[in-house]
Amino acid sequence: MNLAYLEEICQHWDGILVIGRTITHTDRKSHIIGMTKGEETCLYLIEPYEQAEQTRRSGKETHRKHLREKEEKICWLNCSEICIGTQTMRIQGGSAGALAFVSPEGEEVQVLLEMMRAGWIVPEWLREVDFERLRLVQLRMEEGTILPRYISDMPITIRHRKDTVRHLLEKTVTLSVGKTKRFIFMDHTGEQVTCYINRVLFVDLWKDAEERFADPRYRELVTEEQLEEIRQQYYETLAENCPKGSYYVVVEYECSKEIGLQFYSKEFLRSAPVGNRCSAMMVIWKPEQALGEHGLPLRGAVLEGPFAADTVKIPAEAFYYLEKLPAWEETI
C-alpha cells in the first residue's frame, strides 16, 4: 500500500444525508442508512443475511442438487423509484455485497464511517450483528438527482418492479413424443393446478441454423467475413451442446394458473454438471398460437438436450414453476 492508493480510494462527496429508518418484511429487517451525493447520487441500506452454506454433498455432484439450491433474490435491487417527501427519485441500478469480504479501507467502510460522523446512530437491533453476517446495498439514482430535503419521520415510499419467484415442484411426469397428457399438482398456497401438455416435439437446431444463416437479410447487417465467423462460432457451440443428428425437446403446455413450468429429464437431473464445457446454449420456444386447446395461455418449455431421434418416452420432472409478482410499493 502507498499514498497513491489511499488517494485513489478516498471518497469525496458533495453532500451526505442521514436517514436512519428500519424496514421490516415479515421476519426480516433492513435499515436505510442514508444517501451520498458525488459523481453519483446513491442510497445505502444495510441488512443481516445468512451466507449460503456450502451444501454438504455426499456422492457425486448432480444437476438436481445444483438446481435445488435456490439463489437468494435481493428485493432492493428490483426497486424502480424512491419517494422522500415530495421528491421522486428514479433508481438506475444497484449492487449488494457482504461486508465479510470488504477490506478496512474499502469504500463500504468509508460510507459507514462518514454516515456515523454525519450523525447516523446504529439501531439497537443491528449493533451486535457481526460483519460476517451483514450486507450493504447501494442503489444508484439516475444522473442529475439531488439529495432530497428530509426531516425525521418524513414518509418514504419505495416502488418495486414486477418480478418472478421460483417454487420447487419436482413432480414426476413421463413425456411421450407426439402425445398429450394431463397432470395435477398443488402449488405453494395449497391451490390445485391442472397442467395440460398439448405437444411434445423435437426441435432440429441444426436445420433451424442452416435456414437462418441462409436468410439474405443476414448479409444486409454484416459482411461475408463476419457472417462466416458468427456461423463458425455458433456451430462450434451447437456441436458441443447438441451433436448433429440429435434434437432438443419442447413441451407445449397450458396451466389453469398463471405460472411458467420448467421441465428436466430424469437423466439430466441425475447427471453431473460438465465442468470443462466452454459454452452453453439457451433455447427459447414460443408457440405459434396464443391459446391452447383448453382456452388457456399456451407456453413452451425446452428440455436440456440432446435427445436421440428414436426417443419415444422421456421420464422427466416438472421441476419448478415461476410465479409472477405484480409491481408493488411500500411506505414507511
Side-chain angles (χ1 to χ4, degrees):
M1 183 187 297
N2 54 33
L3 291 176
Y5 173 72
L6 291 178
E7 186 179 53
E8 183 181 330
I9 66 169
C10 183
Q11 294 292 317
H12 299 283
W13 290 296
D14 300 326
I16 294 177
L17 170 66
V18 173
I19 296 175
R21 299 280 287 276
T22 294
I23 307 170
T24 302
H25 288 161
T26 316
D27 59 346
R28 184 172 194 151
K29 289 183 177 180
S30 303
H31 185 78
I32 302 177
I33 303 171
M35 300 181 67
T36 59
K37 169 68 175 171
E39 291 184 5
E40 296 179 311
T41 302
C42 299
L43 179 138
Y44 296 90
L45 300 98
I46 193 169
E47 59 184 5
Y49 84 113
E50 296 298 329
Q51 190 174 349
E53 220 181 290
Q54 290 296 325
T55 308
R56 295 182 179 88
R57 299 184 178 94
S58 58
K60 70 174 185 176
E61 297 279 328
T62 66
H63 282 108
R64 181 185 297 278
K65 289 179 180 178
H66 279 263
L67 288 166
R68 277 179 175 165
E69 294 172 1
K70 184 178 178 181
E71 185 179 342
E72 182 190 10
K73 281 193 173 183
I74 302 170
C75 72
W76 307 117
L77 298 183
N78 199 46
C79 295
S80 58
E81 293 180 335
I82 181 166
C83 306
I84 298 180
T86 58
Q87 183 173 339
T88 298
M89 296 170 286
R90 294 181 61 82
I91 296 169
Q92 198 168 48
S95 59
L99 294 181
F101 308 110
V102 170
S103 64
E105 66 275 4
E107 178 185 344
E108 296 84 352
V109 175
Q110 289 188 54
V111 168
L112 298 176
L113 290 173
E114 288 300 322
M115 286 292 177
M116 289 176 181
R117 292 189 186 105
W120 175 49
I121 299 173
V122 181
E124 200 62 39
W125 63 270
L126 197 56
R127 293 180 68 85
E128 303 302 324
V129 181
D130 194 274
F131 252 42
E132 299 286 323
R133 294 183 52 242
L134 286 175
R135 172 169 59 208
L136 188 69
V137 180
Q138 180 192 56
L139 300 179
R140 298 187 305 278
M141 306 299 130
E142 74 178 359
E143 190 175 350
T145 301
I146 62 173
L147 292 180
R149 293 178 178 272
Y150 175 76
I151 58 174
S152 180
D153 296 329
M154 181 179 280
I156 298 175
T157 299
I158 302 171
R159 297 194 176 107
H160 300 257
R161 298 182 182 89
K162 294 178 182 179
D163 202 2
T164 58
V165 61
R166 189 186 79 152
H167 300 281
L168 279 179
L169 183 59
E170 297 182 279
K171 170 80 173 177
T172 294
V173 181
T174 299
L175 302 172
S176 301
V177 176
K179 295 188 178 180
T180 61
K181 192 178 187 67
R182 171 181 175 270
F183 66 91
I184 294 171
F185 62 90
M186 306 297 284
D187 71 5
H188 63 288
T189 67
E191 183 180 345
Q192 180 176 292
V193 179
T194 303
C195 176
Y196 304 96
I197 295 178
N198 292 356
R199 285 205 302 170
V200 179
L201 62 150
F202 287 128
V203 177
D204 188 342
L205 297 179
W206 288 88
K207 181 181 176 183
D208 288 350
E210 288 164 6
E211 291 175 354
R212 189 162 61 249
F213 287 127
D215 190 331
R217 286 176 295 181
Y218 255 102
R219 289 171 173 79
E220 297 173 7
L221 301 172
V222 295
T223 65
E224 196 65 40
E225 292 76 16
Q226 289 172 327
L227 179 60
E228 183 56 37
E229 185 179 349
I230 293 169
R231 184 191 289 116
Q232 184 177 341
Q233 289 176 351
Y234 182 82
Y235 280 135
E236 285 175 1
T237 302
L238 186 56
E240 189 174 3
N241 289 272
C242 185
K244 204 161 190 177
S246 301
Y247 300 84
Y248 269 31
V249 167
V250 166
V251 181
E252 289 191 348
Y253 67 93
E254 303 169 67
C255 269
S256 60
K257 195 170 181 178
E258 187 73 11
I259 59 174
L261 285 165
Q262 180 59 54
F263 296 86
Y264 294 101
S265 70
K266 294 273 191 183
E267 182 180 353
F268 173 80
L269 292 171
R270 286 193 299 265
S271 66
V274 180
N276 60 351
R277 177 172 285 183
C278 298
S279 55
M281 293 190 69
M282 178 179 288
V283 181
I284 298 173
W285 181 266
K286 185 178 180 180
E288 293 178 358
Q289 298 175 332
L291 299 178
E293 298 171 3
H294 302 86
L296 299 167
L298 189 60
R299 295 181 171 85
V302 180
L303 270 71
E304 292 281 348
F307 292 90
D310 59 355
T311 301
V312 177
K313 289 185 181 292
I314 305 170
E317 291 184 22
F319 196 79
Y320 64 79
Y321 64 89
L322 295 175
E323 174 194 14
K324 290 183 179 180
L325 300 179
W328 61 287
E329 67 177 48
E330 58 186 323
T331 300
I332 58 171

